[in-house]
Amino acid sequence: AMGIESGTRTRWLRGSAGDAVLAVAVGVFVVLTTVIDWTVPVGIRSVPVAGWALIVAAAGALAFRRRYPVPVAAIVLVAHFVYYPLINPAGALLITLIIALYTLAAEGQQAAAVVIGLLAVIGSAYGELGSASSPLGDAGLFLLLSWLVAAVALGAVARSRREYLREAQQRARDAERLRIARDLHDALGHHLALINVQAGAALHGLDRDPGQAADALASIKEA
């Protein structure tokens, strides 16, 4: 039990560290895509304080994505709803929502993934219809929908694969337990048969040959 608990804690710590690294990497990527102006000549764009706060909130929440997948996805969605209509310049903050949706599906929260994905699409469509400039356009809106659907689908595939591997490992453990039980049964059967034969020899030679009876009893004790 202590070994299982230690192994679970180790996996949890490893997963938490990996999520923290992912959050930092995604945050750096979002910052770079936001502040760097790739037009010629390349320049640096200023970001308002609220924009920085929303980037930190969305990317930082990913550090807890597998421990609290639904709250993390909700925080990321709210950050997007506030960021894209109000903050300029717009960077690649969308990647945090894609990762959050993937995590929801991978952790078995498919219903939440569908609901949050639909809210994201509805919010984006509303922004398109309510804006004269149409920042995304029809192609951009379709591409956004494709990304969100792909994130949920890939998360569901990852979960199915993980469950299949878990079941395969469980079947392998069960097969190993069955093999050990069979080996134990054979060994016990052999020793019980030996004890039976030696006991019969001991009873038969108890009066006629005490030495033989003693050897038989010694064999029984050893068995």
Side-chain angles (χ1 to χ4, degrees):
M2 291 180 63
I4 295 175
E5 182 180 354
S6 176
T8 302
R9 187 183 300 110
T10 299
R11 288 192 297 272
W12 181 84
L13 290 173
R14 187 183 302 119
S16 298
D19 289 343
V21 171
L22 174 66
V24 172
V26 170
V28 171
F29 176 76
V30 173
V31 168
L32 291 177
T33 58
T34 302
V35 301
I36 296 179
D37 184 358
W38 294 104
T39 59
V40 179
V42 176
I44 301 297
R45 299 181 293 194
S46 62
V47 180
V49 175
W52 288 117
L54 291 169
I55 291 174
V56 171
L62 296 179
F64 308 95
R65 65 188 185 97
R66 279 183 284 191
R67 191 175 182 184
Y68 306 108
V70 176
V72 165
I75 291 172
V76 172
L77 180 65
V78 171
H80 280 70
F81 279 167
V82 177
Y83 185 92
Y84 280 107
L86 303 178
I87 305 299
N88 280 314
L93 190 67
L94 179 64
I95 191 174
T96 59
L97 182 59
I98 293 174
I99 294 173
L101 288 176
Y102 169 86
T103 304
L104 280 175
E107 295 300 318
Q109 302 288 346
Q110 281 84 359
V114 171
V115 170
I116 291 179
L118 285 176
L119 289 175
V121 172
I122 292 172
S124 299
Y126 178 79
E128 285 291 298
L129 296 175
S131 173
S133 61
S134 184
L136 286 177
D138 293 340
L141 189 60
F142 177 77
L143 184 59
L144 171 65
L145 177 61
S146 300
W147 284 342
L148 298 182
V149 170
V152 175
L154 289 175
V157 169
R159 179 172 178 81
S160 298
R161 180 177 180 274
R162 188 166 63 244
E163 290 179 347
Y164 171 78
L165 292 176
R166 186 184 300 115
E167 291 176 359
Q169 292 173 352
Q170 183 61 44
R171 287 195 297 269
R173 286 193 293 266
D174 292 341
E176 180 64 13
R177 293 189 187 102
L178 181 59
R179 184 191 66 79
I180 293 173
R182 287 174 177 170
D183 291 345
L184 181 60
H185 176 271
D186 293 343
L188 287 174
H190 171 74
H191 282 80
L192 288 174
L194 177 62
I195 289 172
N196 183 53
V197 171
Q198 295 294 346
L203 289 173
H204 181 72
L206 190 60
D207 295 330
R208 300 180 181 180
D209 189 352
Q212 181 183 358
D215 291 340
L217 291 173
S219 297
I220 289 174
K221 179 181 178 182
E222 182 180 356

